[in-house]
Amino acid sequence: MKHKHMKPIYWGLFSVGGTTAALFLAPLVLIMCILLPLGTLGNPDTFYQNAHGWMSNWFVYLIAAGLIFTFLWHGVHRFYYILHDMHIHVGSKTRWGFYAFAVAALLITLYVGWFA
């Protein structure tokens, strides 16, 4: 009964991660893997300096860390249910381990960005 109240949070974060991945990953891959190496966006060093300037802002960094967290949450939640659908029952401890991985990645991202 206790875990049923948490399901909207799991699935809400899952849907946020899927939506943000659909909206931001394709343009990000296009920019970083195609347009920037081909020089369409100018000099990559200049682009990096500009991007570093944006990411130095704490609010932009917080949004980027949140995006990374939702991507990871979406991935681990999907991976858990793929295992479940394949009748590979991993148990609650492994499930919590998956979610802990996403939360730990968020905390490490915030720590490295702000304190390191």
Side-chain angles (χ1 to χ4, degrees), residues 40-116:
T40 306
L41 297 177
N43 187 359
D45 293 335
T46 306
F47 183 83
Y48 173 75
Q49 292 297 327
N50 290 336
H52 187 268
W54 305 330
M55 293 304 287
S56 297
N57 183 332
W58 69 271
F59 186 69
V60 174
Y61 188 79
L62 185 64
I63 290 173
L67 285 175
I68 291 169
F69 171 69
T70 58
F71 294 165
L72 284 173
W73 188 278
H74 179 84
V76 297
H77 194 74
R78 168 140 340 251
F79 184 65
Y80 173 77
Y81 278 98
I82 285 172
L83 292 176
H84 179 75
D85 290 343
M86 294 173 66
H87 301 284
I88 300 171
H89 299 288
V90 293
S92 293
K93 289 182 181 177
T94 305
R95 181 180 188 178
W96 286 105
F98 290 161
Y99 296 139
F101 171 74
V103 172
L106 172 68
L107 295 175
I108 290 170
T109 302
L110 291 176
Y111 177 77
V112 169
W114 282 340
F115 301 113

Side-chain angles (χ1 to χ4, degrees), residues 4-21:
K4 285 189 174 193
H5 297 291
M6 298 295 287
K7 281 190 173 187
I9 294 172
Y10 301 145
W11 286 101
L13 286 171
F14 172 76
S15 64
V16 168
T19 303
T20 55

